[in-house]
Amino acid sequence: MSRIAYLTTPLYYVNGQPHMGHAYTTVVADVLARYHRLDGDDTYLLTGTDEHGEKIFTAAAAVGLEPQAYADGIAATFVEAWKELRISNDDFLRTTEARHISVVTSVLQQVYDQGDIYFDEYEGLYCVGCERFLTDREIVNGKCPDHGTVPEKRKEGNYFFRMDKHRQWLAEHIRTTPGFIRPARYANEVLSILSESIGDLSMSRPRSRVPWGIGLPWDDDHVTYVWFDALINYVSALGYPDGELFGRYWTQARHFIGKDILKTHAIFWPTMLRAMGAPLYAGLNVGGFLMGSDGQKMSKSLGNVVNPFELSKRYSADAVRYYLAKDVPYGQDSAVSEKALVERYNADLANDLGNLASRARALLLRHLDGRLPEPVQTDADQAVIATGIGLAAHVREQVGALRLSAALEEVMQFVRQLNRYFNDEQPWVLAKNEASKPRLGTVLYNCVEGLRITSILLEPALPDKAVQLRDSLGLKGGDLASTETWGLAPAGTVIPAEAALLFPRAELEETQAGSQPAAQPVAKTEKKREKTEKSGPAAGDGQISIDDFNRVELRVAQVVACEAVPRTDKLLKLTLSLGDLGERTVVSGIAGSYAPQDLPGRRVVLVANLQPAKLRGIVSQGMILAAEDDDGNLALVHPDKELAPGARVR
Ligand code: MSP
């Protein structure tokens, strides 16, 4: 990574509310910006709104508002949207701001004065969605492929920017500057466009037709074409040409865009910069499209948008950010759904990460007075330590290559390694006698130190949860370099006795139906899980490895108390003793087969490391096992000898 980073999102049109496509591009740029900052880079993130042009004028007129008042309203929703998703932008530029208009005006005058703009009549096919004339090559089956609309035939007197003359050097620059346009296939797409004449760019619109735009300084009957205005935001926000920010950041600019606006950014913008006498940006990063459930591009015009902000309110901003960064391979089209978000969240965050943190915390609080002990490392600890301190280098490399998904996966693999280490070392067994307490301390120390490293490496994607995770372990944050040393979690750190549940398990049915989860007999829950595993990619033919099985912590528990859950006919609330491991509350759907008074004193088998879930307002801390036959007869599983509560079942 460079030591200076200037990252930009597109400026979003204000003709509709922010949606998933906007959120995706903005989240990607934000996660990248946060990685840069974490690595000590001087970083600046710009986003904003594109407010001029025919499209906005028409949208404002449709709701009976002046364009400025209309733009003010929508721009405010973008500001709110980015707050909701924890976007850490350093600036938010609106193209109707004076600081932008003045830069556009002086650029126009300069380019006009040097003879790079001329007046001409033009007749062609115009797409209002794209706000430009389309070339024959761009039209597919008589329609604009991006908007699905038939372009209108228009004849207009317009000013033209001499763009065609820049074709050769631009192609040469793209060919000789690897990484100028990423992924590389988009560079090839641009080179193919540049292999033929690109024509000059119609850069004005008659004010009589489009009254909403920046007037040309030499001819007020024309306004600036919205793209010639909007692209300049990337430098006007930095105070071009003399601003301190411009001097500091511009040559390191990396734009993040969707593939729909490749041509404007890869051809119009570099040629404009050359005409302005300004250096080119450093890179253009092109994302694919997020598709809706209908397999179509999500877009305002097609009306199939998914609202990321509702998902954020339901599952947390971090859940949405993590899902977008982890599941959408950068540059490729990808279908997104709430269901996939919930699956990703439960698998990576609730199960792998959240469980490890809560298990390590619980044992420290119960057996080591809630203090992080001084570790005594052994050979058995070296593998975990080596992976942990080597991670930053991998993450840097993946992030540098825009492989966010791979970067996050590297960290999650480490979390899974820590879970295996935890299970192999069996700290709950070590806790049983005094002689093994030092070893218990080392194992738990290493888990906490691993979680410290993990929290820092995941923080760009999980800005809130990473901090909460550290808070729950009494730890402080750090930069990327601080993950390259093992042992920075200070021995003696106090583990807070109370901590909010980090990643409560998400239930799709509950949220989609807008109701409480259906009370399910445990045996049915088991069946459902089996189904998911069979269809899951890792399960193959439905078999699981012994490691998979060992991740499930089954224990003998004794029922201490039991009562029916009010206003349900299926649920019982059980208080279970796990001996030395304390007590648990579990809600179970067995009321149809067992009366509350029958259960106290009985031994049952508990899944002890299940992520807690809220059922009818009660936090259920595990699940008891029962068998169910085809007729719905239900029988609790219990050991056939009176083993002490807490005994492990394998
Ligand atoms: N205003 C112009 C950009 C000017 S930049 C100087 C514009 N705005 S837009 O509101 O239409 O948003 C464009 C960007 O939003 C796309 O380039 C892309 O980054 C993002 N997306 C919009 N819909 C999208 C998807 N369905 N999927 C992924 N991103 C898409 O164009």
Side-chain angles (χ1 to χ4, degrees):
M1 282 191 205
S2 70
R3 306 313 294 173
I4 298 267
Y6 174 40
L7 309 184
T8 70
T9 76
L11 290 205
Y12 301 106
Y13 284 132
V14 289
N15 63 336
Q17 299 293 327
H19 64 67
M20 191 56 123
H22 303 140
Y24 172 65
T25 311
T26 311
V27 164
V28 167
D30 184 65
V31 173
L32 262 299
R34 287 175 182 268
Y35 271 117
H36 276 286
R37 291 192 200 106
L38 196 63
D39 212 9
D41 296 352
D42 178 0
T43 306
Y44 202 81
L45 175 66
L46 172 70
T47 188
T49 41
D50 187 354
E51 305 189 359
H52 290 127
E54 189 170 355
K55 208 160 28 180
I56 313 302
F57 184 75
T58 314
V63 291
L65 284 176
E66 285 300 315
Q68 186 65 63
Y70 174 76
D72 288 349
I74 308 254
T77 66
F78 272 93
V79 170
E80 278 311 305
W82 302 151
K83 260 195 216 143
E84 170 71 34
L85 288 182
R86 308 292 184 272
I87 304 301
S88 60
N89 49 302
D90 296 281
D91 193 0
F92 186 101
L93 184 128
R94 301 180 53 190
T95 55
T96 51
E97 288 177 72
R99 61 173 170 149
H100 172 72
I101 294 173
S102 68
V103 174
V104 172
T105 309
S106 60
V107 165
L108 286 167
Q109 190 67 59
Q110 177 216 328
V111 178
Y112 181 68
D113 288 348
Q114 72 200 25
D116 277 331
I117 289 177
Y118 62 93
F119 190 80
D120 201 4
E121 283 272 311
Y122 188 80
E123 183 167 7
L125 291 171
Y126 192 87
C127 171
V128 178
C130 296
E131 296 259 18
R132 63 184 178 86
F133 288 99
L134 301 183
T135 61
D136 291 347
R137 268 175 67 157
E138 287 175 311
I139 296 170
V140 179
N141 299 329
K143 290 184 177 169
C144 163
D146 284 345
H147 295 93
T149 48
V150 178
E152 303 165 19
K153 201 167 203 168
R154 280 192 188 173
K155 188 174 180 183
E156 258 175 26
N158 283 335
Y159 285 91
F160 285 82
F161 164 60
R162 294 189 197 281
M163 186 165 75
D164 198 47
K165 67 176 181 181
H166 295 283
R167 196 154 68 83
Q168 259 143 20
W169 71 256
L170 180 56
E172 189 57 18
H173 183 78
I174 294 170
R175 265 195 294 271
T176 56
T177 317
F180 182 64
I181 300 176
R182 290 190 292 178
R185 67 175 173 285
Y186 293 111
N188 293 333
E189 210 172 285
V190 176
L191 285 172
S192 136
I193 301 176
L194 291 173
S195 65
E196 293 171 16
S197 161
I198 50 173
D200 289 340
L201 174 66
S202 150
M203 54 69 63
S204 71
R205 300 289 178 266
R207 197 185 278 283
S208 55
R209 186 168 65 75
V210 186
W212 182 235
I214 303 177
L216 298 183
W218 63 90
D219 183 350
D220 205 43
D221 288 343
H222 291 261
V223 298
T224 313
Y225 165 49
V226 65
W227 274 102
F228 204 96
D229 155 358
L231 287 162
I232 292 174
N233 91 86
Y234 299 129
V235 295
S236 69
L238 299 181
Y240 174 82
D242 311 316
E244 191 264 325
L245 293 176
F246 182 74
R248 186 151 129 212
Y249 291 114
W250 174 246
T251 56
Q252 294 307 320
R254 297 199 176 270
H255 301 309
F256 287 81
I257 60 163
K259 63 179 185 179
D260 53 334
I261 52 177
L262 176 64
K263 186 173 174 185
T264 50
H265 282 77
I267 298 181
F268 297 3
W269 183 220
T271 59
M272 286 166 65
L273 283 164
R274 178 58 73 96
M276 288 155 64
L280 296 190
Y281 54 79
L284 183 64
N285 300 315
V286 188
F289 278 131
L290 300 193
M291 307 299 191
S293 44
D294 54 0
Q296 299 280 313
K297 170 192 164 191
M298 272 190 252
S299 80
K300 286 171 283 202
S301 346
L302 295 175
N304 61 350
V305 297
V306 172
N307 189 331
F309 312 102
E310 273 169 23
L311 293 184
S312 165
K313 295 214 167 73
R314 207 171 288 158
Y315 303 106
S316 77
D318 285 8
V320 175
R321 294 169 59 96
Y322 184 80
Y323 169 61
L324 291 178
K326 181 96 192 288
D327 275 28
V328 180
Y330 193 72
Q332 290 175 31
D333 292 352
S334 208
V336 288
S337 70
E338 179 168 353
K339 182 164 174 279
L341 180 147
V342 167
E343 281 169 8
R344 171 61 57 215
Y345 169 91
N346 281 339
D348 287 13
L349 303 178
N351 287 355
D352 290 342
L353 184 56
N355 255 344
L356 179 65
S358 66
R359 290 161 87 195
R361 257 181 61 78
L363 289 172
L364 280 161
L365 287 168
R366 215 170 288 141
H367 301 290
L368 295 172
D369 299 327
R371 269 177 196 277
L372 207 53
E374 189 77 55
V376 182
Q377 307 293 4
T378 68
D379 283 353
D381 308 308
Q382 296 312 316
V384 157
I385 296 177
T387 313
I389 58 181
L391 263 183
H394 293 293
V395 167
R396 263 194 208 101
E397 188 187 330
Q398 302 287 20
V399 167
L402 288 181
R403 289 190 293 260
L404 279 186
S405 169
L408 296 174
E409 179 55 21
E410 299 252 10
V411 184
M412 285 318 299
Q413 274 177 21
F414 175 56
V415 173
R416 290 192 278 272
Q417 184 182 357
L418 282 172
N419 271 302
R420 283 195 300 276
Y421 170 78
F422 187 96
N423 289 336
D424 291 349
E425 295 294 332
Q426 304 191 330
W428 58 92
V429 176
L430 297 172
K432 288 215 169 101
N433 70 62
E434 275 310 306
S436 53
K437 281 269 173 84
R439 182 63 194 153
L440 170 70
T442 299
V443 170
L444 294 181
Y445 180 91
N446 287 335
C447 289
V448 169
E449 176 64 354
L451 287 167
R452 178 188 72 81
I453 289 177
T454 301
S455 78
I456 294 171
L457 293 170
L458 292 181
E459 194 164 350
L462 302 174
D464 290 343
K465 297 290 183 183
V467 175
Q468 281 174 30
L469 170 59
R470 286 197 295 267
D471 286 350
S472 78
L473 297 168
L475 299 174
K476 301 235 171 342
D479 60 8
L480 205 58
S482 76
T483 68
E484 296 177 297
T485 307
W486 194 268
L488 296 187
T493 296
V494 175
I495 310 294
E498 299 292 328
L501 189 57
L502 255 184
F503 299 109
R505 248 189 110 74
E507 296 287 347
L508 187 66
E509 294 97 330
E510 178 187 358
T511 52
Q512 281 193 336
S515 62
Q516 291 286 338
Q520 291 216 337
V522 246
K524 277 201 184 132
T525 314
E526 285 297 286
K527 266 196 213 154
K528 197 167 127 194
R529 172 172 324 142
E530 188 184 304
K531 249 193 239 154
T532 344
E533 278 180 357
K534 275 191 179 144
S535 60
D541 57 3
Q543 293 179 336
I544 61 169
S545 71
I546 189 70
D547 276 355
D548 291 336
F549 176 74
N550 281 336
R551 293 182 57 207
V552 184
E553 191 185 326
L554 297 173
R555 289 187 182 276
V556 173
Q558 185 167 24
V559 182
V560 178
C562 180
E563 60 188 77
V565 175
R567 291 184 304 282
T568 71
D569 50 7
K570 288 203 179 137
L571 297 183
L572 294 182
K573 176 182 159 192
L574 300 113
T575 307
L576 303 175
S577 164
L578 285 178
D580 281 354
L581 298 177
E583 286 193 349
R584 298 283 182 92
T585 301
V586 166
V587 176
S588 181
I590 54 172
S593 308
Y594 292 90
Q597 64 274 15
D598 295 344
L599 294 176
R602 292 183 63 146
R603 281 174 169 68
V604 291
V605 174
L606 173 77
V607 181
N609 62 341
L610 195 66
Q611 183 79 36
K614 222 179 200 182
L615 291 164
R616 299 291 157 119
I618 304 165
V619 178
S620 179
Q621 304 160 299
M623 176 173 86
I624 57 172
L625 298 189
E628 188 187 24
D629 67 15
D630 289 343
D631 300 326
N633 296 310
L634 203 108
L636 283 170
V637 172
H638 72 100
D640 75 349
K641 281 195 193 130
E642 297 269 292
L643 289 182
R648 186 81 201 253
V649 179
R650 300 174 207 282

